[in-house]
Amino acid sequence: MTTRLDLPELQQPSRRTFLKSAGVAAAGLLIGFQWIGSGGRAMAADPAEGTFAPNAFLRIGPDDSVTVIAKHVEMGQGAYTGIATILAEELDADWRKVRVESAPADAERYANLAWGKMQGTGGSSAMANSWMQLREAGAKARAMLIAAAAAAWNVPVSELTTREGVVHHAASGRQASYGSLAAAASKLPVPENVTLKSPEEFRLVGRQAPRVDAAAKSDGTAQFTLDVTMPGMLVALLQRPPQFGATVKSFDASAAKAVPGVVSVVQVPRGVAVVAQGFWAAKQGRDALKVEWDDSKAEKRSSDAMLAEYRQLAEKPGLPARVEGDAATALAGAAKTVSASYEFPYLAHAPMEPLDAVVKLTADRCEIWTGAQFQTIDQANAAKTAGLEPQQVTIHTLYAGGSFGRRANPGSDYIVEAVSIAKALGANGTPVKLQWTREDDIHGGLYRPMYVHKLEAGLDAEGKLIGWRHRIVGQSILAGTPFEQMMVKDGVDHTSVEGAANLPYAIPNMSVELTTTQAGVPVLWWRVVGSSHTAFAVEAFIDEAAQAAGQDPLAFRRALLAKQPRLLGVLELAAEKAGWDPAKPLPKGRGRGIAVAEAFNTYVAQVAEVTVDEKGQVKVDRVVCAVDCGTPINPDIIAAQMEGGIGFGLGAVMHSAITLKDGKVEQNNFDGYQVLRIAEMPKVEVHIVPSGEAPTGVGEPGVAPVGPAVANAIFAATGKRVHTLPFLSQGRLA
Amino acid sequence: MATTLVLNGKNITLDADPSMPLLWAIREVAGLTGTKFGCGMAQCGACTVHMDGQAVRSCVLPLSAVAGKHITTIEGLESKPAKAVQAAWVKLQVPQCGYCQSGQIMSATALLERNAAPSDADIDAAMNGNICRCATYARIRDAIHEAADTLKA
Ligand code: FES
Ligand code: FES
């Protein structure tokens, strides 16, 4: 299926640009499209003399250095190490010589193959889409190095072997390092076909290849955008409106300009920027700035009022996202019914590095340094803002200090702001760093949407689930973005219902419905996207259904997952490792809960153990996690992503909420927007299912089951169900 | 106005607004960028440095308050506990995005310098001011124990 569309105003890089959809897979976030005309091809400098650069992903220097060029951003998820592992595996490289360098923005060479012709990172797709591409890149390079040695030694290729960056000829005892063969190999043709290793031959994949960035991130030398500095660089802070949708009516810059170090105050579409010689002057200048806002088009509602409206909407049918059999009849005729509602707040991503970007803009060129996650879209949006063609925009992708989806935004908000400021300053080539503060981040929108879910289940006389109705109410993430045509079908935004519409439980009558609401609060995907709320609703409610059926939560799920071997596999593994045993409940005040979810084709089950004291204080003691992500590439990174995902998800369900009062965000910083801290981090055990399936991602899926597993454990400990998130209020169960 | 202090063992005079938080003076005036900005209000610990051996939040410490003090940043770590902490961080592969880790390492080092064998509870108490959005907390705990063990050996 091919869809053609015109991009909305902000994202449209040129008239020639259109997106081409290769279809939307029903059950996964599989999107395919092309950004024709946006493939700004910023060629890397010509490789040095004697360097072997057989493809866009690899350079081998005469000094034996192996440089892997990463098309994906490293934002903590381990992409650099994973990418290097895959390529180095087939190359038979010496891991100690492997370095990773970030690719320039270039959709021609560095597209995410899961998305078509667009470079970007997201949907836990980095390993999945790089797997075959980088294996081939490595294997072809290896074949060329062998061919170079064979020619030099005048022996058949078949007599040569490789190991850790060296070609060996056993018969003669000769050997040559890859670096010494680089110049000769670079003159050979790239082979059409190569044989890839069989899994038994893997030396790096599936082992503990240490992270390529661990040392630099332990001694302060890793370079983030915050750390970029260049001669004459200015720092800008932007005063944005206090309510979403408000605009500048007028401003008085006199006090701001009086602050020593402030160079300029300029109005841009998103607000008024104070530009100074450093952060502190810019901050003081912004504090002194007086802006009057026009709020006539602003969102002025409170989130409480919106929530009340959502609750009413959840009582009414929505658009069908999944229909099986006849849910209404099944529910009406059920021997027993249960129903429950679950409420989810807006959530900020709050990556540890407040958003920032450095821009150097001249009349015909725009150079950007940032932790970019959607390079092709960022390039197009920057070009549009600057009045240039995408090819004139260069992006240097740096380490991102976290993202969790925030930097993958179709409007490139912070990059567009930075470019607009550089433009307002005269596009004179002065480098400008736009720095967000934490308050800017918490107030900055693009939140995980607020949702209300209402679920009803019907059981027959034997306690079998025969009917299921699931209504979801909330804003669409993709409406109005370039992704809308591909991922919103018949009014149903895939990201609103994923994890619910593809419910894996075998229930004969099912209705999953979506009511999409309108609000002026900008929203965005947040780590694990739809499953950040759907997995909670589904897995908490299936537990309520099990209780109504008088069955053990594990046994109840098991029976409904008979045709889902991979989900069942992780469920059984987590239960076994956690010592799940309905005959042996934990002592009073403690409880165990289980949950399972699929996200981005990765399967995760978790068992949580909690202690709840008389005051309602909750301590999550332990989480046992089982994950099936196909062929495990870097087991230690898989474990780290499960641990981190659990901590990230836990902080959200326990503490985090963005609320609005009269359209103004009520939280400002980490005092009001609370996240997990170390004292609340449970012990985590991760078990990886051995698999020969193609690898899938691990950055997000670990987040999905932790909330419901904990909620179900709280029920086991207290008999109380969690229906509203976050579940702590003043540190206690609400 | 100039403020003189001892930064990573060297006398240094920084010519900057005395109300400027030490964080920005270190980063933008002294040019040491290992210390990070996360919240600007002593909530996250990303900016943690040592002042006369104590872990402090440099984002809320005006330059005027550090005149004559000994300030150590991640770039200036030299003590045995510091090196043990950094080695443990690499060995246990603690960092993910890495942005919080300078602050984590500064807090962990200050802890080990005063308590050679911290319990989990000691670690939680000493490290609770350092947020890691990647939630590397379990490994931070393990790495501090690992560092303590190597120092004992
Ligand atoms: S930046 Fe200083 S504590 Fe957060
Ligand atoms: S490693 Fe990313 S915030 Fe700590």
Side-chain angles (χ1 to χ4, degrees):
Chain A
M1 213 213 77
T2 299
T3 317
R4 189 190 160 114
L5 74 140
D6 290 317
L7 291 171
E9 179 64 10
L10 186 62
Q11 290 88 8
Q12 192 164 341
S14 80
R15 276 178 307 138
R16 287 174 302 137
T17 302
F18 62 90
L19 299 177
K20 203 166 107 195
S21 166
V24 182
L29 221 180
L30 195 66
I31 56 179
F33 59 87
Q34 281 190 300
W35 281 71
I36 290 175
S38 63
R41 204 179 158 92
M43 292 299 292
D46 277 342
E49 184 63 26
T51 298
F52 176 45
N55 54 57
F57 302 101
L58 174 65
R59 284 198 314 267
I60 298 176
D63 60 350
D64 287 336
S65 62
V66 174
T67 305
V68 176
I69 294 120
K71 65 180 184 177
H72 291 290
V73 65
E74 175 56 71
M75 47 195 172
Q77 84 282 36
Y80 276 15
T81 307
I83 281 168
T85 303
I86 299 170
L87 199 149
E89 175 68 70
E90 293 286 351
L91 181 63
D92 260 347
D94 177 353
W95 184 252
R96 291 159 297 188
K97 306 266 169 63
V98 175
R99 301 279 170 280
V100 179
E101 192 178 286
S102 139
D106 179 354
E108 295 285 341
R109 292 183 294 165
Y110 298 116
N112 183 329
L113 302 179
W115 297 350
K117 201 163 160 194
M118 177 191 146
Q119 185 181 353
T121 305
S124 294
S125 61
M127 293 303 100
N129 95 94
S130 298
W131 177 239
M132 291 311 287
Q133 182 179 43
L134 295 184
R135 287 182 72 190
E136 275 196 14
K140 286 182 178 175
R142 175 176 167 273
M144 292 162 79
L145 291 159
I146 290 179
W153 300 335
N154 201 16
V155 296
V157 161
S158 58
E159 289 178 15
L160 298 179
T161 56
T162 56
R163 184 153 191 131
E164 293 190 353
V166 178
V167 181
H168 295 271
H169 184 238
S172 65
R174 271 180 291 196
Q175 60 177 61
S177 75
Y178 285 1
S180 70
L181 296 165
S186 66
K187 299 194 175 74
L188 298 175
V190 179
E192 284 279 306
N193 295 305
V194 278
T195 310
L196 300 180
K197 287 184 180 180
S198 65
E200 307 79 64
E201 297 173 282
F202 288 160
R203 292 187 185 128
L204 291 170
V205 168
R207 311 245 161 108
Q208 312 290 56
R211 282 184 77 113
V212 294
D213 52 353
K217 288 176 174 178
S218 299
D219 65 12
T221 58
Q223 273 259 321
F224 298 88
T225 308
L226 182 80
D227 308 327
V228 172
T229 177
M230 39 188 98
M233 187 181 82
L234 299 173
V235 176
L237 264 67
L238 181 61
Q239 184 65 54
R240 298 173 192 80
Q243 290 156 318
F244 298 109
T247 51
V248 177
K249 190 191 279 172
S250 64
F251 66 97
D252 173 1
S254 49
K257 282 186 174 158
V259 172
V262 170
V263 173
S264 190
V265 176
V266 290
Q267 187 175 344
V268 294
R270 294 251 298 174
V272 181
V274 177
V275 187
Q277 276 156 356
F279 176 90
W280 187 239
K283 170 79 166 59
Q284 287 179 306
R286 188 175 74 169
D287 289 347
L289 184 69
K290 292 187 193 71
V291 186
E292 271 209 68
W293 303 97
D294 172 355
D295 69 357
S296 55
K297 296 210 181 74
E299 173 62 81
K300 298 193 217 35
R301 285 181 294 171
S302 297
S303 44
D304 272 355
M306 291 160 68
L307 194 62
E309 182 197 322
Y310 286 18
R311 284 184 194 130
Q312 290 185 350
L313 289 169
E315 297 302 322
K316 299 179 196 142
L319 292 173
R322 166 109 176 253
V323 180
E324 303 282 343
D326 180 350
T329 307
L331 288 168
K336 194 170 186 182
T337 56
V338 252
S339 84
S341 293
Y342 302 91
E343 300 181 350
F344 303 88
Y346 284 116
L347 292 174
H349 306 72
M352 208 65 228
E353 179 184 19
L355 296 173
D356 41 14
V358 177
V359 169
K360 200 171 161 188
L361 180 67
T362 58
D364 58 3
R365 196 167 144 74
C366 180
E367 211 172 344
I368 300 171
W369 291 259
T370 193
Q373 197 179 339
F374 264 7
Q375 286 85 351
T376 305
I377 287 179
D378 294 337
Q379 199 177 27
N381 285 329
K384 165 89 179 155
T385 306
L388 299 173
E389 289 297 316
Q391 296 87 328
Q392 294 168 291
V393 177
T394 306
I395 299 179
H396 305 272
T397 301
L398 305 181
Y399 282 133
S403 176
F404 317 116
R406 183 60 179 81
R407 298 164 192 270
N409 71 79
S412 311
D413 62 346
Y414 67 106
I415 294 173
V416 162
E417 287 177 355
V419 175
S420 69
I421 293 166
K423 193 176 168 189
L425 290 171
N428 58 6
T430 304
V432 187
K433 180 192 287 179
L434 169 69
Q435 183 63 54
W436 286 38
T437 62
R438 180 59 58 196
E439 288 79 5
D440 295 340
D441 172 59
I442 299 299
H443 296 164
L446 295 179
Y447 306 125
R448 195 285 305 272
M450 184 168 81
Y451 293 97
V452 170
H453 290 234
K454 166 121 197 245
L455 290 100
E456 294 162 87
L459 301 155
D460 67 11
E462 280 80 55
K464 220 172 134 269
L465 253 182
I466 52 164
W468 179 273
R469 181 187 284 140
H470 187 167
R471 287 183 179 148
I472 302 173
V473 179
Q475 280 170 264
S476 164
I477 292 171
L478 297 173
T481 76
F483 297 88
E484 178 168 0
Q485 294 258 334
M486 282 151 308
M487 296 179 65
V488 181
K489 285 271 136 68
D490 299 324
V492 176
D493 181 334
H494 177 73
T495 66
S496 302
V497 298
E498 62 178 348
N502 53 330
L503 186 77
Y505 296 115
I507 306 168
N509 303 290
M510 216 187 278
S511 176
V512 180
E513 304 163 25
L514 175 68
T515 298
T516 298
T517 56
Q518 306 293 329
V521 182
V523 293
L524 187 63
W525 29 51
W526 183 96
R527 198 173 184 179
V528 88
V529 195
S531 298
S532 72
H533 53 105
T534 57
F536 190 99
V538 164
E539 286 298 300
F541 189 62
I542 204 86
D543 237 62
E544 300 200 34
Q547 182 198 352
Q551 292 183 36
D552 168 57
L554 170 64
F556 192 70
R557 285 179 174 81
R558 184 189 283 142
L560 294 166
L561 291 174
K563 295 212 176 84
Q564 303 282 348
R566 295 180 77 178
L567 276 173
L568 201 54
V570 291
L571 185 73
E572 300 285 12
L573 182 60
E576 180 210 316
K577 297 291 183 186
W580 186 275
D581 184 353
K584 290 191 207 132
L586 293 175
K588 193 171 154 18
R590 301 196 62 221
R592 219 183 247 133
I594 194 164
V596 62
E598 173 273 329
F600 308 114
N601 301 315
T602 290
Y603 305 81
V604 189
Q606 289 165 8
V607 175
E609 290 174 13
V610 306
T611 304
V612 185
D613 68 13
E614 330 63 70
K615 294 194 216 110
Q617 300 185 96
V618 178
K619 175 137 187 9
V620 182
D621 302 310
R622 181 165 88 125
V623 176
V624 177
C625 174
V627 54
D628 174 355
C629 55
T631 300
I633 296 172
N634 302 97
D636 191 55
I637 290 179
I638 296 168
Q641 286 308 298
M642 293 302 119
E643 295 160 14
I646 286 164
F648 187 85
L650 202 50
V653 297
M654 290 172 80
H655 301 292
S656 310
I658 293 287
T659 56
L660 287 85
K661 179 102 175 79
D662 303 326
K664 291 188 181 148
V665 174
E666 294 185 286
Q667 296 70 31
N668 301 306
N669 203 310
F670 286 125
D671 50 347
Y673 189 75
Q674 292 190 23
V675 298
L676 198 82
R677 291 175 181 270
I678 194 169
E680 295 172 323
M681 183 71 191
K683 299 233 176 304
V684 177
E685 271 173 45
V686 180
H687 303 277
I688 302 170
V689 175
S691 169
E693 300 280 335
T696 53
V698 293
E700 300 172 84
V703 178
V706 68
V710 167
N712 296 337
I714 290 172
F715 171 75
T718 66
K720 279 192 220 145
R721 291 286 179 189
V722 172
H723 288 130
T724 305
L725 295 183
F727 63 71
L728 294 183
S729 153
Q730 320 288 340
R732 309 206 174 151
L733 272 181
Chain B
M1 238 200 83
T3 306
T4 300
L5 60 144
V6 185
L7 181 59
N8 295 334
K10 291 194 196 87
N11 273 304
I12 183 170
T13 300
L14 298 176
D15 190 10
D17 173 1
S19 77
M20 178 186 285
L22 176 62
L23 169 65
W24 298 106
I26 293 169
R27 290 185 52 85
E28 295 185 349
V29 186
L32 298 178
T33 58
T35 309
K36 303 303 186 211
F37 165 59
C39 69
M41 58 177 294
Q43 287 289 322
C44 78
C47 65
T48 305
V49 299
H50 296 174
M51 180 166 75
D52 296 339
Q54 299 285 319
V56 294
R57 310 298 182 216
S58 65
C59 68
V60 291
L61 206 58
L63 196 48
S64 60
V66 301
K69 306 279 191 195
H70 282 254
I71 300 294
T72 306
T73 68
I74 185 94
E75 291 90 350
L77 283 183
E78 267 168 8
S79 72
K80 265 181 127 185
K83 292 292 156 197
V85 166
Q86 286 178 304
W89 245 244
V90 174
K91 181 170 175 202
L92 299 193
Q93 302 272 291
V94 173
Q96 289 188 24
C97 84
Y99 191 83
C100 73
Q101 299 296 350
S102 293
Q104 304 282 2
I105 286 168
M106 296 310 288
S107 291
T109 299
L111 167 65
L112 283 183
E113 281 174 352
R114 63 166 198 275
N115 178 353
S119 64
D120 276 353
D122 295 336
I123 291 171
D124 287 356
M127 303 297 294
N128 220 35
N130 287 81
I131 292 174
C132 175
R133 284 295 282 149
C134 302
T136 60
Y137 300 125
R139 289 183 190 220
I140 287 173
R141 239 184 241 145
D142 291 348
I144 293 173
H145 287 306
E146 164 80 20
D149 289 349
T150 58
L151 287 170
K152 236 180 290 159

